[in-house]
Amino acid sequence: MDQYLLATADTAEWQKLYNIAQADKSHGLWENYQNIDLDTYEHMIVTIRDGEPASFQGIYNNGRWPSNVSRFCNRAYINPYFRNIGQGLEITYNNVKYTLDNYAQWSKDVLFISRGVQYDNAEISWKKFEKFCKFLIKNTGYNLIYDDRLYQCCANNCKDCYQFCVWYDPIGTKEYVNIPSISKDEWQQLVAI
């Protein structure tokens, strides 16, 4: 059974896994893990499996969205040991389920996961994202909502700042939250930075 810790910079399990993440250059997003400042996160959750730090994921707002909205699974990372033995997807959906099971603890109305477009191909990325959303719904048992629009996830008006999102909105607040979004065709017209 997994255990979950709310980490601070001094948490030994966080330090151990973060050091692994910084050294892990086996994936295309390795630069995202070089300078994580826990002070910019509302919460950083570390998953412990079989006595070892298995993953971390942040709950994050940092002024990017209205205060009652946060992205979770931000800078999600899974220890390569657990990825290599085929437990990555299980850890992922268990982390999502844990976050949603503890929804009241985060003091948010809306939580969401975002994923950027890969290989500059919005249509293929959308199909992969839709499959991921269906996987999460099936394995967590939560009613998550998603669509094929790309939502602004940072201040710039560039391709990298628009991402597909899956939302947990148990009290129906999302429709009143003003997060800019664009279609896949509009996204195609933006420039990358």
Side-chain angles (χ1 to χ4, degrees), residues 71-108:
R71 178 167 56 194
F72 74 106
C73 287
N74 192 71
R75 294 295 181 257
Y77 179 81
I78 296 175
N79 185 329
Y81 169 78
F82 292 101
R83 275 188 267 141
N84 292 336
I85 62 171
Q87 295 181 6
L89 285 175
E90 178 190 348
I91 288 170
T92 298
Y93 73 73
N94 282 335
N95 287 349
V96 169
K97 185 168 178 6
Y98 170 82
T99 304
L100 301 180
D101 285 349
N102 291 280
Y103 166 78
Q105 183 175 342
W106 319 123
S107 300
K108 300 294 173 175

Side-chain angles (χ1 to χ4, degrees), residues 110-167:
V110 180
L111 294 169
F112 71 96
I113 300 171
S114 69
R115 184 178 284 176
V117 173
Q118 297 174 320
Y119 313 112
D120 202 37
N121 189 318
E123 195 55 46
I124 289 174
S125 296
W126 159 245
K127 288 177 183 170
K128 289 170 106 177
F129 186 72
E130 183 178 33
K131 185 177 177 181
F132 174 69
C133 293
K134 289 177 181 179
F135 168 81
L136 287 180
I137 291 166
K138 177 184 174 194
N139 286 286
T140 66
Y142 277 94
N143 181 26
L144 304 173
I145 56 175
Y146 59 95
D147 57 33
D148 66 350
R149 295 190 63 78
L150 294 116
Y151 292 84
Q152 192 170 21
C153 289
C154 60
N156 298 325
N157 195 31
C158 66
K159 282 186 170 183
D160 292 342
C161 285
Y162 283 88
Q163 300 185 0
F164 294 111
C165 295
V166 58
W167 309 86

Side-chain angles (χ1 to χ4, degrees), residues 9 11-22 51-53 56 77 79:
T11 304
E13 294 84 356
W14 158 255
Q15 291 175 348
K16 180 177 180 179
L17 189 53
Y18 185 50
N19 286 336
I20 292 170
Q22 287 179 307
E52 286 296 314
F56 61 76
Y77 179 81
N79 185 329

